[in-house]
Amino acid sequence: DRELRDGHATAKVWTLWDYDNLYVYVEVNDTTPGGVPTKDDPAWENESIEIYIDYEDNKTEMNSLAMSAEACQLRICRYPASYPDITGEGLFQPEFAEGTTYKVVDNKENGYVVEAAIKHSTSLMGKMGFSVQINDDVDGDKVRDNVVYVDALQMTAWQYTDLLDTIEFEGFVAPSTDTSSEETSSVEET
């Protein structure tokens, strides 16, 4: 629903998982690196990616991303020296950022790569709502010129979980909560 300016960024996104983390690898192709922001510049106006997660994957129009304890927006800036902390104004669950580690590799005029390990919520169920957004400052004025989504309908995914895609964890088995029987083994002496 929005016409992109020439030179807009594109990205490829890969995900992996284990029972501790969701691993997200985002390769951003961006030949216009934008201006390097200061702490006073709004984070969403600058070169960054945003990762949206809904651990409950409940996809309802009534479930605002900001109101769900199991959903979050994590924004990682291309220039971590300017924004070393993960941000997400209004929709931000600090506990998810605290459990997230990340690295940004700037490929200068070709773009940048973000690698993130996002700690799982206790409500991990084998699938989750998920999307990625790219914020792109084409002309270097520290004002976002393009917003690139997985799907054009996700323009307001920062508000509602029903707009997120779903990723499923292949091979997921719900961890057992039964601790009543412990297996023991013995070694026979010969």
Side-chain angles (χ1 to χ4, degrees), residues 86-160:
I86 297 172
T87 63
E89 286 74 14
L91 311 170
F92 185 56
Q93 305 288 355
E95 60 274 16
F96 293 116
E98 290 165 7
T100 297
T101 58
Y102 77 94
K103 180 177 183 177
V104 178
V105 178
D106 196 342
N107 293 330
K108 308 301 179 207
E109 67 276 352
N110 296 320
Y112 59 104
V113 172
V114 174
E115 296 178 68
I118 303 165
K119 195 81 173 153
H120 285 309
S121 161
T122 56
S123 66
L124 180 64
M125 299 301 294
K127 65 180 183 174
M128 66 176 62
F130 177 83
S131 190
V132 173
Q133 168 184 312
I134 306 165
N135 297 314
D136 183 25
D137 173 18
V138 173
D139 54 16
D141 64 355
K142 298 187 254 181
V143 175
R144 179 173 66 182
D145 298 301
N146 294 310
V147 182
V148 182
Y149 311 93
V150 173
D151 182 313
L153 295 175
Q154 293 175 338
M155 185 167 62
T156 56
W158 58 272
Q159 288 180 305
Y160 302 106

Side-chain angles (χ1 to χ4, degrees), residues 70-81:
E70 295 300 320
C72 67
Q73 170 194 31
L74 301 171
R75 182 182 300 111
I76 300 173
C77 185
R78 178 178 188 165
Y79 301 105

Side-chain angles (χ1 to χ4, degrees), residues 6-48:
D6 289 341
H8 68 83
T10 61
K12 292 183 181 180
V13 179
W14 291 265
T15 58
L16 292 170
W17 73 278
D18 63 25
Y19 287 95
D20 296 318
N21 296 290
L22 172 68
Y23 302 96
V24 181
Y25 183 89
V26 183
E27 192 175 87
V28 180
N29 179 13
D30 184 2
T31 58
T32 58
V36 177
T38 67
K39 282 275 189 201
D40 297 329
D41 296 316
W44 64 90
E45 293 286 355
N46 290 281
E47 301 271 314
S48 60

